[in-house]
Amino acid sequence: MDPVNQIEGRAYPFGLKNVDTDVIIPAHWLKTISREGLGKGAFEAIRKDPDNLFDSPEYAGSPILVAGDNFGCGSSREHAAWALGDMGIKAVIAPSFSDIFSGNAFKNGILTVVLPQEAVDRLVEVAKTDPIHIDLEAQTVTTPFQDRFTFEIDAFRKHCLLNGLDEVGLTLARDVAISSYEQKLAGERSFLTHGTATAA
C-alpha cells in the first residue's frame, strides 16, 4: 500500500447522499477477484448520462471525491473501494460513511474524511473550479480561498495510512518479535512442532 499524506488536486463535486455500494460498482462487476479495471464500472448508472462529471475531461484523474451523507451504504462489497482506487481516488470527503465501506477504504489506502455538511457544501462549490488540498498529518482540508477545515481520524488508521501499512505490512513490521516468539515457543513446547518438519 502506498503511503498517504498530502493529497491535492481537482475533486469530483459529487455531493449525492445515500450512495450505496451498488451505485459505486454494480453487482455484475463482482465476478472478478482482480482490482484492475474496476474503475471502468464505477458509477456505471450515473455514467449513462453523457454529461456526467465522472467522464468530464475537467475532472479526469481527480484524486478526491466530495460526496454526500451516508456514502458507501448498502452491501459490504470491497469491490467498491477497489473501483474507487482504480479510478485514482485517494480520498473521499463526506458528512458520514457506512462503517463497512470506511473500513474497506482504509484497508485499500483510501482516506475517508468526515466533515460537517456546511464544509462539504463549500467544498462541492470550490471543486467546480479549483483544487482542494488534504493534509493527513495536520488533519486539515484547505482550499485556495483560505478555507480550512479540520477533521478527526483514528490514530491507528492515521499511522497505517501515513506509513503505507496494510494488514500484511503490519505483520511484516513485527517480523522480529514474531520470530522471537516462535523460537521461544518451539523451545518451551517442542511437542507442538513434533512431526511437522518437511523432508529435504
Side-chain angles (χ1 to χ4, degrees):
M1 192 165 79
D2 293 330
V4 176
N5 188 5
Q6 308 286 330
I7 304 170
E8 183 169 20
R10 293 299 298 275
Y12 295 103
F14 191 37
L16 196 63
K17 296 181 179 181
N18 301 312
V19 173
D20 66 36
T21 51
D22 194 53
V23 172
I24 299 171
I25 187 72
H28 66 88
W29 284 87
L30 307 187
K31 298 170 186 174
T32 180
I33 56 171
S34 172
R35 302 176 190 211
E36 296 179 8
L38 286 175
K40 294 181 291 186
F43 303 105
E44 185 176 67
I46 293 170
R47 284 175 147 166
K48 288 180 180 177
D49 178 351
D51 296 323
N52 78 87
L53 63 87
F54 294 108
D55 291 322
S56 168
E58 185 177 0
Y59 301 109
S62 295
I64 302 168
L65 174 68
V66 184
D69 197 34
N70 197 28
F71 186 79
C73 55
S75 75
S76 60
R77 65 190 68 167
E78 190 173 11
H79 293 66
W82 293 357
L84 293 178
D86 196 52
M87 283 179 66
I89 292 175
K90 300 184 185 316
V92 182
I93 302 171
S96 69
F97 295 90
S98 155
D99 286 343
I100 294 174
F101 171 81
S102 182
N104 285 337
F106 157 66
K107 290 178 181 180
N108 287 278
I110 299 172
L111 173 63
T112 52
V113 176
V114 176
L115 289 176
Q117 186 65 57
E118 300 78 20
V120 171
D121 290 343
R122 170 60 179 160
L123 292 171
V124 166
E125 289 306 307
V126 171
K128 292 174 182 177
T129 56
D130 291 273
I132 291 171
H133 182 264
I134 302 172
D135 185 326
L136 176 55
E137 182 67 49
Q139 296 178 211
T140 59
V141 179
T142 55
T143 75
F145 305 104
Q146 308 308 310
D147 298 294
R148 181 182 177 87
F149 306 109
T150 59
F151 62 91
E152 297 299 318
I153 184 170
D154 175 79
F156 174 73
R157 288 190 174 187
K158 180 178 179 179
H159 169 77
C160 291
L161 289 169
L162 286 171
N163 293 282
L165 296 172
D166 57 12
E167 291 167 332
V168 174
L170 283 167
T171 303
L172 292 175
R174 302 288 296 164
D175 178 55
V176 174
I178 292 169
S179 295
S180 175
Y181 172 79
E182 288 178 340
Q183 288 176 356
K184 179 181 176 187
L185 190 65
E188 293 175 352
R189 301 180 183 183
S190 59
F191 62 89
L192 290 175
T193 57
H194 180 71
T196 60
T198 56

